[in-house]
Amino acid sequence: MPTIRVLPPGLVNQIAAGEVVERPASVVKELVENALDAGATSIAVEVEDGGLSLVRVADDGRGMDRDDALLALERHATSKLRDADGLAAISTLGFRGEAVPAIASVARVRIDTTHADGEAGTRVEIEGGEVAGVAGVARRRGTTVEVRDLFFNTPARRKFMRAPATEAGHVTEAMVRLLLAREGVGFTLRSGGRPVLAVRPGEELAERTAQAIGREAARHLVRVDASRGPIAVRGVVTSPDHSQATGRSLYLFVNGRYVRDRAAAHAVLRAYAGVLPPGRQPAGALFVEMPLDRVDVNVHPQKLEVRFAEPREVQDALHHAVAAALRSAPWLGAPSRGAPGPQVATDGRAGAPASPSASEDAASVLAWARAIHPPEGSGAELPLRREDDAGAPRLPLPASDAATPAGYFASLRYIGQHARTYLVCAAPGGGLVILDQHASHERLLFHRIRAAMAGRALQVQPFLVPQVVTLPPPVARALEGAAAELLRLGLEVEPFGGDAFAVKGAPAILGGAELAPLLTDLAQQIEQLGRGSAVDEALHDLAATMACHSAVRANQELGADEARALLAGLDAADFKARCPHGRPVVFEIPLAELERRVGRR
């Protein structure tokens, strides 16, 4: 008996099915992609038992004649690729020619197809990969594929399928990815006889995204539209006022193809640095358009992964496009609760609410205010200036010739300080605005530190006498050799023997911040930098730490001039409604809500 033998075609097709057909959702994906490649403008999908009993996909695209319908059942038979040169510029969703024969090898399949209206149609029936019959059929232009009893002849595969409800969920997710990718195509999905999804041809992305991520999340959408070199990025993402525990609701498409790419998703997340709490993720749909020869889609059997010629240029394009959209988007003034559908502003961007809701009572507001600020004595806050400088302002007042842009905060009338932690202001419309003084000042300082770092203009104040700081041994070891990183932050630090360091200069913006706890925090973050964190991310964290240590703390008295100076500076800061760690720091209670509370409305 020979050791090596050629496998029979039926077994080869079943092996291919193991790669291409993971579950019923894979069948839906492959068949709908074929319909899209055929130019369909309307696609109807129906499943029973999560697709295990039935998957039916009907389209109005270019159908097939009899010969093509039979040829489509052969492995590697495709109309979408002619030669090897075509692999360098693939624009279609399917091109391997494996899907239909792979599906037909593990199910009972019927294909009804007509090439053009008025022509005779063809029906082909296949069972377990073998053609069981060919006949004529009356059908308008397009194709209908019915797949019944999936994995009926491979019981080992069938037993690994999940419950029908679970498989139906995977089918819905596959359809969501497809309907997001093709705004010009109408889609319907029925599961167990019930409608699940429905979008009309031409229905805009905001509405389709609402079906993907939910109506509540869609109320916070921000439009993204930017180009960087040969790469264009468009789509929608949620503002920082809405986030989720996982990244599964962030959909990424490359040249119209849904892909999974951790590095690209992380580039999007980096754009939210400083405005999302740790562990939270944005949602949305982003479309990357790039030259076909700069991306290889032939690296995954299910075409869910791609390889970029220059991955960094794609990551940079995504990061900068999303960051620019977030910086320019309105951040205060939300649509009313219960408003239907995504509320997109007339300038193409979406408003987003601040927390908590204006309809919540005063006790809830105070509880929220306490929750967003660490309790006194937690060590998270340090004074901005030393108490021996009595009478000196603890917030940097703008210079007399400083041009403060007119904006939301400049329009507020300062009323007073509550609990020595919150600034209470009156808005022009009569509402009340409440700010967390530490977190607001922290955002302002962070903005200034980042801007100075970007322009390499961080002002360093040299000390007449170096300040010697002794640190715990683990911290001291981490800080050794980090002089370059510290200098970029405006800190001139040199080893002074043992676990001591001499600080010869510090950024003027730090004022009288305690240096020992500041250096301790910075040392821990610099240590993480050596474990693979991106330099930009690490510098973001370092700047946030500096801002936190420099900001006025909670339970600290502020004068009216200091409070007004803080308000005047905030309009120039980006992401002004959140501290660098992502916490909300300001919210408004509209006058209408106040009047409703006291029975005037």
Side-chain angles (χ1 to χ4, degrees), residues 510-600:
L510 284 181
E514 296 286 348
L515 293 176
L518 172 61
L519 289 177
T520 298
D521 283 358
L522 291 178
Q524 294 172 347
Q525 291 171 315
I526 289 172
E527 185 181 25
Q528 292 178 353
L529 176 63
R531 293 202 292 263
S533 297
V535 173
D536 287 345
E537 293 178 68
L539 290 174
H540 172 280
D541 293 340
L542 297 177
T545 297
M546 290 175 62
C548 183
H549 281 277
S550 309
V552 63
R553 62 180 175 177
N555 201 30
Q556 182 174 342
E557 207 65 59
L558 280 189
D561 288 342
E562 295 172 313
R564 293 189 187 101
L566 175 57
L567 293 172
L570 278 172
D571 277 319
D574 54 5
F575 300 119
K576 52 188 72 69
R578 292 183 176 262
C579 81
H581 303 100
R583 294 184 298 149
V585 301
V586 57
F587 69 94
E588 180 176 348
I589 304 176
L591 178 60
E593 178 63 19
L594 293 175
E595 292 180 333
R596 189 185 69 81
R597 289 285 181 174
V598 297
R600 286 186 176 271

Side-chain angles (χ1 to χ4, degrees), residues 4 25 38 50 59 64 67 93 104 133 143 155 241 254 258 265 301 329 345 395 425 441 473 503 522-523 548 572:
I4 298 175
D59 69 67
M64 297 175 284
D67 291 340
L93 295 173
T143 301
D241 288 287
V254 176
Y258 171 80
L395 287 174
C425 304
H441 190 210
V503 183
L522 291 178
C548 183

Side-chain angles (χ1 to χ4, degrees), residues 13-26:
N13 283 338
Q14 289 188 2
I15 293 172
E19 297 178 340
V20 177
V21 187
E22 181 183 9
R23 55 186 354 127
S26 307

